[in-house]
Amino acid sequence: QVQLVESGGGLVQAGGSLRLSCAASGRTFSNYAMGWFRQAPGKEREFVAGISRSSGSTYYTGSVKGRFTISRDNAKNTVYLQMDSLKPEDTAVYYCAAALSPYYYIDSRHYDYWGQGSQVTVSS
């Protein structure tokens, strides 16, 4: 079992920044690739960013590329999502997820564990 707990969400004005953290406990964190997903009201959950278990590879969905940065600290069992230049359309509940794999997946069905979610609201 892996427990994931997100933090760092909140309300921010357009153009502002937030950093989400996802702390893992349970199994060996470095064995898991990590992903961030988000779900806006009335929409399906979508992939935002992924990072391999060694941090050697990252990937972003097109709408956040150049604005968001995913990183991880295996010594602290934590993955981060730095979100800059936020837009109202980034408003969603953000979830971190863990996959027992060297590399991340874009498809949410491949992830084994999920956090409870953190609300991010961007006002215009």
Side-chain angles (χ1 to χ4, degrees):
Q1 278 288 82
V2 175
Q3 292 78 43
L4 302 173
V5 179
E6 298 102 338
S7 61
L11 174 64
V12 65
Q13 288 188 331
S17 297
L18 284 174
R19 188 175 82 156
L20 300 180
S21 299
C22 173
S25 61
R27 297 293 179 94
T28 304
F29 179 68
S30 59
N31 286 343
Y32 292 82
M34 300 297 295
W36 284 98
F37 290 78
R38 66 186 180 186
Q39 188 167 19
K43 295 187 177 181
E44 293 187 354
R45 189 172 298 188
E46 66 170 347
F47 173 85
V48 175
I51 188 166
S52 63
R53 62 187 184 190
S54 68
S55 300
S57 177
T58 59
Y59 185 78
Y60 302 89
T61 192
S63 61
V64 309
K65 197 173 296 183
R67 301 189 297 121
F68 290 12
T69 304
I70 188 171
S71 62
R72 66 188 294 163
D73 185 338
N74 286 345
K76 294 183 178 179
N77 292 349
T78 302
V79 62
Y80 305 96
L81 186 67
Q82 177 68 40
M83 305 184 292
D84 300 318
S85 302
L86 282 161
K87 303 176 181 180
E89 50 264 44
D90 295 318
T91 295
V93 177
Y94 283 71
Y95 300 88
C96 66
L100 187 59
S101 167
Y103 293 101
Y104 47 81
Y105 298 100
I106 294 175
D107 189 337
S108 63
R109 291 174 295 180
H110 294 295
Y111 286 83
D112 303 293
Y113 302 101
W114 291 83
Q116 82 288 353
S118 182
Q119 176 71 47
V120 172
T121 303
V122 184
S123 64
S124 57

